[in-house]
Amino acid sequence: MNTKDYGIKELENEFGPLTFGNALGSFRLGKGVSQKVFAKSLGITPQSLCDLEKSRRIPSPGRAAKIAKKLKEPIAFWVQLSFQDTIRKEELKLKVFVA
């Protein structure tokens, strides 16, 4: 495969859509910490973290922003993921872009 032609569309075709949950889980795994330790650093329960990572719960934009701040990550990216997850759940064919 030519990596020059491999972008978000190709990633989503191969692995599914990027969600708040799988981005958060990947971030945690990249740091090499347990759910318990990571949840504590975010100020949430391990069960809440598990629900977020498994996409059983979609955070509100406000909660997504708070998590992004604690991660020291771009707020717009995480808020966009939360909006996109909500739109996907409602089965709307829209894409959200947050400036």
Side-chain angles (χ1 to χ4, degrees):
M1 176 184 298
N2 184 350
T3 56
K4 187 191 283 187
D5 297 332
Y6 202 82
I8 291 175
K9 185 176 180 181
E10 290 76 19
L11 280 170
E12 287 188 347
N13 285 340
E14 190 168 342
F15 299 106
L18 178 61
T19 66
F20 187 95
N22 60 30
L24 190 62
S26 293
F27 188 93
R28 177 182 63 80
L29 291 172
K31 296 290 184 185
V33 296
S34 68
Q35 281 186 329
K36 185 176 181 179
V37 169
F38 195 59
K40 186 174 183 178
S41 73
L42 295 177
I44 62 176
T45 66
Q47 182 60 51
S48 290
L49 176 60
C50 185
D51 287 343
L52 289 171
E53 287 186 0
K54 299 289 185 187
S55 296
R56 290 188 291 255
R57 301 198 95 180
I58 300 170
S60 68
R63 188 172 191 199
K66 286 179 186 176
I67 289 171
K69 284 179 188 176
K70 289 185 179 187
L71 298 176
K72 296 183 175 133
E73 287 285 306
I75 293 170
F77 172 75
W78 294 91
V79 169
Q80 181 175 337
L81 287 177
S82 74
F83 275 127
Q84 196 61 52
D85 287 353
T86 300
I87 288 168
R88 193 178 297 111
K89 180 181 175 187
E90 296 295 326
E91 298 180 4
L92 301 173
K93 302 293 182 195
L94 302 169
K95 289 281 184 186
V96 173
F97 299 97
V98 178

